[in-house]
Amino acid sequence: TIIDTTAPVLTIPADYTAECSDAHPQDDASATDNCGEVTINVVETTTDGACAGDYTITRAFTATDDCGNATSATQTITIIDTTAPVLTIPADYTAECSDAHPMDDASATDNCGEVTIDVVETTIDGACAGDYTITRAFTATDDCGNATSATQTITILDTTAPALTIPADYTA
């Protein structure tokens, strides 16, 4: 009587951690058996993390031979988002107090999700009513809390002398 009670030898891909914007290879497993053919089955499960760019993929592999002997192993792929958004802000500028003072918006992109941009404006008085500085602190934050900040400085000056109108000369 010849029987097969030996389970296949299963080799699975190694666990790994990757940035959400990187490639996530889903390599195949391999198996050998001492007496015949082997079938490999895989069941993938994705578990959400704390934010859109964080999650875990669990890949449960089972190698089964013709006699029903089986070996199982699990690969865990951890996906993370540790990259801050790329923030583009308007350029610093200096303008006369009588000129237009554009307050352009900032823009941001992220490698794995949505971005929120917050701005805090602060005005610092100068030596006279027409002189002041506006700082605009922009912060771009992604779903995972990664943030990038930058500040725009707008300098407003009053360098124009007043226009003086005097009465015309006359002889009386």
Side-chain angles (χ1 to χ4, degrees), residues 12-159:
I12 66 168
D15 294 349
Y16 67 88
T17 299
E19 186 71 20
C20 56
S21 57
D22 293 343
H24 308 140
Q26 303 277 321
D27 295 334
D28 293 330
S30 62
T32 57
D33 188 59
N34 63 336
C35 295
E37 297 296 315
V38 179
T39 302
I40 300 175
N41 214 3
V42 62
V43 176
E44 280 188 23
T45 305
T46 300
T47 306
D48 294 336
C51 58
D54 289 353
Y55 56 95
T56 303
I57 302 169
T58 304
R59 301 176 74 209
F61 295 92
T62 302
T64 308
D65 68 14
D66 291 336
C67 291
N69 301 305
T71 301
S72 296
T74 302
Q75 176 193 28
T76 301
I77 302 170
T78 305
I79 307 302
I80 58 175
D81 181 359
T82 60
T83 302
V86 175
L87 175 63
T88 303
I89 66 169
D92 294 348
Y93 67 88
T94 300
E96 186 70 22
C97 60
S98 58
D99 293 344
H101 308 137
M103 298 295 204
D104 295 333
D105 292 330
S107 63
T109 58
D110 189 56
N111 61 334
C112 297
E114 298 297 315
V115 179
T116 302
I117 300 175
D118 294 314
V119 61
V120 175
E121 290 184 15
T122 305
T123 301
I124 302 164
D125 293 333
C128 62
D131 287 354
Y132 56 96
T133 303
I134 301 168
T135 59
R136 300 176 74 209
F138 295 92
T139 302
T141 308
D142 68 14
D143 291 337
C144 290
N146 301 304
T148 301
S149 296
T151 301
Q152 175 193 30
T153 302
I154 302 168
T155 305
I156 307 300
L157 302 173
D158 181 359
T159 60

